[in-house]
Amino acid sequence: MARRDFSWVSPGRWPTLLVAIAVLIAMFLLSGIILVISMRLLGGLEAHHDAWRAAWPWLLAWRLSLYAALVLVWWRKVRPRAVARLCQDHDDGRQALAKLRRLELMALGILALIEVTNLINQRGGA
């Protein structure tokens, strides 16, 4: 019996754009399912919004602790390995380290924008 090639099973060989699209679709579907379940359990969209507003401080605390954990893991575990690997470049990683720094700043900016948007929505929207 011939050996089958199951290389497509390895996530490292999947096209990046396909993975990104699949994750976005799954995220939207999961959000919709959560919204439908919440509306059914609470009795409607207004009740869902009221519950969301009541839970907002706890959700903010959860998000901030999640951000803090991600930053801690990035800063203590992942970043030193990435910097060590980048420093093996032909220019000692100067160009790559500058790109990494810009990427870190962009990620922080996106998180700040998300939280500002959440704050605006919690205060009544624009």
Side-chain angles (χ1 to χ4, degrees):
M1 193 158 156
R3 186 174 173 205
R4 290 189 174 177
D5 184 23
F6 287 108
S7 62
W8 60 271
V9 176
S10 172
R13 298 175 68 82
W14 295 346
T16 307
L17 184 60
L18 177 68
V19 171
I21 291 171
V23 166
L24 281 174
I25 290 171
M27 214 169 56
F28 283 124
L29 287 175
L30 185 61
S31 299
I33 291 169
I34 290 171
L35 179 63
V36 168
I37 290 171
S38 175
M39 285 173 42
R40 294 229 174 163
L41 288 175
L42 297 172
L45 189 58
E46 285 301 319
H48 167 79
H49 285 299
D50 291 340
W52 184 81
R53 287 187 198 282
W56 189 80
W58 297 106
L59 294 172
L60 176 65
W62 181 84
R63 284 192 312 271
L64 291 178
S65 62
L66 178 67
Y67 297 153
L70 287 173
V71 166
L72 185 67
V73 168
W74 169 254
W75 201 256
R76 295 278 173 111
K77 298 281 185 189
V78 180
R79 191 176 194 278
R81 285 189 232 156
V83 168
R85 194 166 180 181
L86 291 176
C87 286
Q88 295 172 358
D89 237 358
H90 60 84
D91 66 343
D92 291 329
R94 275 180 263 132
Q95 187 177 10
L97 287 173
K99 288 181 180 180
L100 179 64
R101 173 65 68 191
R102 277 197 316 257
L103 183 63
E104 290 171 340
L105 291 174
M106 282 189 281
L108 288 175
I110 288 172
L111 290 178
L113 284 174
I114 289 171
E115 290 308 317
V116 166
T117 303
N118 284 333
L119 181 64
I120 290 170
N121 285 339
Q122 200 275 337
R123 297 288 179 214

